[in-house]
Amino acid sequence: MQTSLEKLRKFFRLEHENGYANTAIIGGLAEMLNFWEGEARADGIQEEVIQAVVQRLRSYDGLSPQSRADALKGLWKRIGDAYPKAQQKPKAQSQVEGRQEAPRPPQNQNQAKPESEAKRESHPQHQQRHEQRPRPQAQPRSESVAGARTSATPAALDAKLTVLQGVGPKNAETFAKLGMVTLGDMLYYYPRRYDDYSQLKPIKELFYGEQVTVIGTIQSVHSRPIRGGKASIVEVVIGDGTGALRLSYFNQPWLANRFKSGDAISVSGKVDQYLGRLVMNSPDWESVEAENLHTNRIVPIYPLAERITQKWLRNVMKQVVEYFAPAVVDSIPESVRNAARVMPLGEALLQVHFPSSQEKLKAARERLAFDEIFYLQMGVLRQRRDWQSVEARRFSVSDVWLDSLKTSLPFTLTSAQERAIADLRTDLDSGKPMNRLLQGDVGSGKTVVAAIAAGIISSNNAQAAIMAPTSILAEQHYRNFTNLLKDILKPEEIRLLVGDTPESEKESIRSGLADGSIKIVIGTHAVIEGPVQFKDLQLAVIDEQHRFGVEQRAELRSKGTNPHLLVMTATPIPRSLALTLYGDLDLSIMDEMPAGRIPINTFVLRPQERERAFTLLRGQIKDGKQAFIIYPLIEESEKIEARAAVDDYETLSKEVFPDLKLGLLHGKMRPSEKDETMLKFRDKEYNILVSTTVVEVGVDVPNATVMLIEGADRFGLAQLHQLRGRVGRGADQSYCLLIPTREDATENERLQIMAESNDGFVLAEKDLQIRGPGEFLGTRQAGFANSLRMASITDVKLIEKARAQAQAVFEKDADLSQSEHKLLAESLGRFWGEGKGDVS
């Protein structure tokens, strides 16, 4: 049956259930004609049938309940005569096992509004006049909230947001940009923070370093230029009767017109200190509604989009959450909930939006975070089992062969490298596909381990493929592999395949891979393109694996039959994160540097000490060395107060280092231009490379000894450490100079930690505590990165609790085939995209 007729039937049935009260749609059945007519014509419904529906529904509101019943029955009979399939009874959804009836919101007895009034009321400012409950409306199921839907979830949660009073098509578009398409999505659109009006802190009790929300009245607003007119600062002073607090906003001159003396505002941010006074730099702020000041409760603050106000969104949320949260069915089995001692899901959803106390809010957040980690762990365990359930070719080499290869190397392996090689040998000879993560700091020697693994494969007459994120890195690996394996492979048996490889050479490589004469191919995504076929691919190596998407890894795997897989990362991953994200992978950690590597001296300089940094650069370049200067931005931004690469490149070239050769590298350049610039720098054609973070993963330049990072407070520790790892690759002492955006950022915690430690694992743990897991996730999975809305990967206790519960369920019923796990299986499938995720 056509979709438009199916929709009509569902509305008519709902109207029957509601006693013909004209409440199947908010505003009355006639409201559906706005979208139904177009759908019906698109479905090819006869015009006379469409007109009959239109005429009947337009007069429907004026009929008595009995006349309405007769009208709809007569109308449906006419439709049935034209379309016999419409008379067939649908399968009762309520018969689906475990299905709950959708809760029926209180009936709206209001009359349908004239079209002009309906339009006027769709604007947010009119929303507060209408506290009607959302009406269930049959729509296609939404998949946008992972793990949120089951067959027992009320169908009304799949209704589009336009069923809500005051939410028209334009507002629905804005909601969609925020990730909300259905009523169910709104339940999982969590507040970004809360203003606790029951426990406000007076300004006089603030102390340096705390993250806090305060409320005050604007006493003064001043705007003034800085940096010779190139930038501006808006300074606002607020007071609350106990004291005053200065707020500073950089390069946002329009704010001077937004702040009005006498207005009450709420500001949230970190309390800093400047010249002995407490200040807040660029805190979040919003006007305070008078009623909030007297609510004596915790008020949710949501992320907003254009045309949506906090007050209006909060009102809409309140309608949906209070009515539907209690009706959401809990997919986590009761036995698991009891063992984990977590709050019921419905209560958690209600409390996370409108908490009745800080304790309830904490419990709600723990429950929702538990779900995310639990689903994640269940998927990881399932994929590990699936990967281990298949057979793989065994590859072994003698100790004599391996010792001979090690002896040919131009250096002695570290004990960490020896351990990693032993792990790989065991995996390759296990009969199961290797699925290992090789994690090692910048310069720890991962390439050698990967080369030996590839050597073991090729010595058994099979093939290996190594995929790197950039052409430069691929070329670097190619040179290293060729050098390291020169005693066991001929040069023509190792080839480089990148986007810029000439077509004739590509054809030759494809031919060599197909007939098996090429044993190892190293390249970028070019190695997974369709025409590339292997005779016998048995090892896939992915370097800087967080830079590749799931599909690319799956493509490389598909080139062979259950090939062994080795993924490498130079981003040290903290134990808590490895537990959570990499439970499917065996882990080899290389936490030891090769002998002779000199620690990089790291210094934090104040912005006005920049000339000291330039003096060091000149001295190093005079000695024949090279330097990097890194910027957080490509071009200057009005919104962000930070130096930019392109703008400063001009100044540096013409005024600061007019006698030196400078290169410029940034993300807007074409790949070929980036490669050309980087290769010129490696070949010493440039003394200084001015760049954004595109050099974070790049070619080795052993001659570079200085890394100067501007706006260093805008980078995470892991990123700063990666950038620092671009120098110190030769035998000379190297330096990393960190210059923050502002004078008062010199004490930035991350920068001080950088100056104290060269250990990437120490830094990674600190970064996780400070910034959360975003730095480490990359594009690891298609299914879950955006689903970790509540979980904090720093909460090892919660992670271990969720992991233990997931393992208990998995050991009891790995396939989730038992009846008590039916709903869990549905939610798990949705969370992981029906099994499409690839956690390696």
Side-chain angles (χ1 to χ4, degrees), residues 22 25 27-34 54 57-61 112:
N22 199 17
I25 288 182
L29 272 184
E31 288 291 312
M32 71 173 288
L33 296 175
N34 295 330
V54 170
L57 294 189
R58 279 193 178 145
S59 60
Y60 184 79
D61 184 50

Side-chain angles (χ1 to χ4, degrees), residues 315-578:
N315 284 335
V316 177
M317 278 289 187
K318 197 169 177 65
Q319 294 179 56
V320 176
V321 171
E322 288 189 348
Y323 193 77
F324 283 110
V328 172
V329 176
D330 209 327
S331 302
I332 305 286
E334 187 177 1
S335 58
V336 174
R337 299 199 304 268
N338 290 339
R341 297 202 288 192
V342 290
M343 178 184 278
L345 180 59
E347 186 184 356
L349 288 169
L350 186 60
Q351 289 292 335
V352 84
H353 286 281
F354 298 99
S356 52
S357 69
Q358 289 289 354
E359 291 72 27
K360 290 278 191 182
L361 174 59
K362 183 181 177 184
R365 291 175 67 90
E366 181 181 354
R367 166 60 209 264
L368 297 170
F370 174 87
D371 283 15
E372 293 172 355
I373 301 293
F374 180 83
Y375 285 126
L376 181 54
Q377 289 299 308
M378 287 296 294
V380 161
L381 291 168
R382 182 180 63 187
Q383 294 204 17
R384 185 181 182 89
R385 179 200 63 178
D386 292 348
W387 189 239
Q388 291 179 335
S389 66
V390 297
E391 297 295 316
R393 276 229 341 244
R394 290 176 181 271
F395 293 90
S396 62
V397 290
S398 67
D399 290 343
V400 173
W401 181 93
L402 188 57
D403 289 341
S404 173
L405 180 56
K406 289 179 186 176
T407 304
S408 71
L409 298 175
F411 44 77
T412 304
L413 295 177
T414 65
S415 55
Q417 287 172 315
E418 294 278 14
R419 286 195 305 271
I421 291 165
D423 290 341
L424 266 63
R425 279 184 80 185
T426 303
D427 289 349
L428 294 174
D429 197 23
S430 68
K432 299 290 181 185
M434 175 169 70
N435 202 29
R436 185 167 291 278
L437 172 67
L438 181 59
Q439 159 183 353
D441 214 338
V442 178
S444 60
K446 297 183 297 297
T447 307
V448 183
V449 177
I452 289 175
I456 293 172
I457 296 293
S458 58
S459 70
N460 282 271
N461 208 32
Q463 293 170 302
I466 291 82
M467 191 159 73
T470 66
S471 299
I472 296 174
L473 202 51
E475 184 187 328
Q476 183 172 296
H477 283 327
Y478 171 69
R479 286 198 311 274
N480 287 334
F481 271 60
T482 305
N483 184 42
L484 294 168
L485 301 176
K486 62 181 182 296
D487 287 0
I488 61 171
L489 288 174
K490 300 170 187 171
E492 61 269 22
E493 291 179 309
I494 306 178
R495 299 297 295 272
L496 175 69
L497 179 61
V498 295
D500 288 344
T501 303
E503 191 55 44
S504 58
E505 193 178 334
K506 280 184 181 175
E507 188 54 47
S508 166
I509 293 171
R510 286 195 285 262
S511 175
L513 291 171
D515 66 24
S517 59
I518 295 177
K519 299 292 188 251
I520 299 175
V521 64
I522 299 166
T524 54
H525 63 278
V527 303
I528 59 173
E529 289 173 351
V532 178
Q533 299 299 327
F534 293 80
K535 183 182 180 183
D536 187 19
L537 177 65
Q538 289 294 327
L539 173 66
V541 179
I542 313 261
D543 191 21
E544 289 305 331
Q545 58 86 37
H546 66 288
R547 302 224 163 200
F548 290 102
V550 170
E551 296 80 7
Q552 291 170 310
R553 289 194 295 276
E555 272 292 316
L556 182 54
R557 267 184 174 166
S558 70
K559 298 289 183 180
T561 305
N562 299 334
H564 295 279
L565 183 75
L566 175 66
V567 293
M568 305 194 296
T569 179
T571 303
I573 300 161
R575 174 177 169 270
S576 57
L577 198 61

Side-chain angles (χ1 to χ4, degrees), residues 554-780:
E555 272 292 316
L556 182 54
R557 267 184 174 166
S558 70
K559 298 289 183 180
T561 305
N562 299 334
H564 295 279
L565 183 75
L566 175 66
V567 293
M568 305 194 296
T569 179
T571 303
I573 300 161
R575 174 177 169 270
S576 57
L577 198 61
L579 246 181
T580 311
L581 305 185
Y582 298 92
D584 59 310
L585 292 168
D586 296 309
L587 193 61
S588 289
I589 296 176
M590 294 174 55
D591 52 3
E592 184 181 350
M593 283 295 181
R597 284 297 292 266
I598 304 171
I600 300 161
N601 286 341
T602 305
F603 302 97
V604 182
L605 302 177
R606 300 200 306 277
Q608 57 264 45
E609 294 180 297
R610 190 171 283 110
E611 190 51 49
R612 283 181 63 196
F614 292 160
T615 301
L616 176 64
L617 258 72
R618 288 190 188 96
Q620 289 289 303
I621 291 167
K622 188 177 178 182
D623 289 344
K625 306 305 177 188
Q626 293 166 278
F628 292 94
I629 301 180
I630 305 297
Y631 290 87
L633 304 175
I634 296 174
E635 293 167 332
E636 232 175 74
S637 162
E638 281 189 7
K639 295 183 180 179
I640 302 171
E641 189 218 359
R643 299 174 79 95
V646 172
D647 303 271
D648 272 24
Y649 171 74
E650 294 296 322
T651 307
L652 291 169
S653 304
K654 294 172 182 173
E655 299 175 22
V656 183
F657 303 110
D659 53 330
L660 301 178
K661 295 177 182 174
L662 277 67
L664 176 64
L665 184 68
H666 58 76
K668 287 186 179 178
M669 295 165 66
R670 292 194 299 273
S672 58
E673 291 176 325
K674 289 184 200 171
D675 289 354
E676 183 184 353
T677 302
M678 200 68 206
L679 291 174
K680 280 185 176 179
F681 184 57
R682 185 195 71 190
D683 296 338
K684 303 182 184 178
E685 292 184 36
Y686 296 131
N687 303 112
I688 298 172
L689 184 64
V690 178
S691 175
T692 57
T693 56
V694 291
V695 300
E696 181 187 339
V697 174
V699 69
D700 278 347
V701 184
N703 195 51
T705 58
V706 182
M707 169 63 67
L708 169 58
I709 304 177
E710 289 277 6
D713 52 310
R714 295 198 164 270
F715 298 103
L717 272 171
Q719 200 170 29
L720 288 171
H721 186 58
Q722 287 280 314
L723 290 167
R724 177 167 63 182
R726 292 297 98 212
V727 297
R729 290 176 170 255
D732 300 294
Q733 177 65 60
S734 292
Y735 305 87
C736 179
L737 309 175
L738 306 171
I739 301 181
T741 315
R742 302 185 311 277
E743 164 76 25
D744 56 355
T746 309
E747 299 300 316
N748 181 290
E749 185 181 358
R750 288 196 302 280
L751 304 190
Q752 296 304 321
I753 294 166
M754 277 289 292
E756 292 164 12
S757 177
N758 268 270
D759 187 326
F761 290 92
V762 171
L763 297 177
E765 285 288 355
K766 292 285 187 183
D767 209 22
L768 193 55
Q769 293 166 18
I770 296 169
R771 281 167 60 106
E775 287 288 301
F776 303 93
L777 288 176
T779 53
R780 178 159 158 71

Side-chain angles (χ1 to χ4, degrees), residues 178-199:
L178 294 172
M180 290 181 280
V181 177
T182 67
L183 297 180
D185 296 337
M186 294 188 77
L187 294 180
Y188 289 84
Y189 188 72
Y190 303 135
R192 61 185 169 87
R193 64 177 177 84
Y194 303 84
D195 281 346
D196 189 349
Y197 292 102
S198 64
Q199 296 178 2

Side-chain angles (χ1 to χ4, degrees), residues 197-255:
Y197 292 102
S198 64
Q199 296 178 2
L200 281 175
K201 193 161 190 180
I203 291 175
K204 73 172 183 179
E205 292 181 13
L206 299 182
F207 59 85
Y208 172 74
E210 70 176 328
Q211 190 80 25
V212 71
T213 298
V214 296
I215 287 178
T217 302
I218 296 175
Q219 296 178 346
S220 65
V221 182
H222 295 291
S223 179
R224 58 186 173 84
I226 56 175
R227 291 186 193 159
K230 288 184 178 179
S232 66
I233 184 171
V234 174
E235 293 179 324
V236 182
V237 176
I238 63 170
D240 66 352
T242 71
L245 179 67
R246 185 179 299 276
L247 319 175
S248 299
Y249 293 89
F250 298 92
N251 282 345
Q252 299 176 63
W254 58 89
L255 288 178

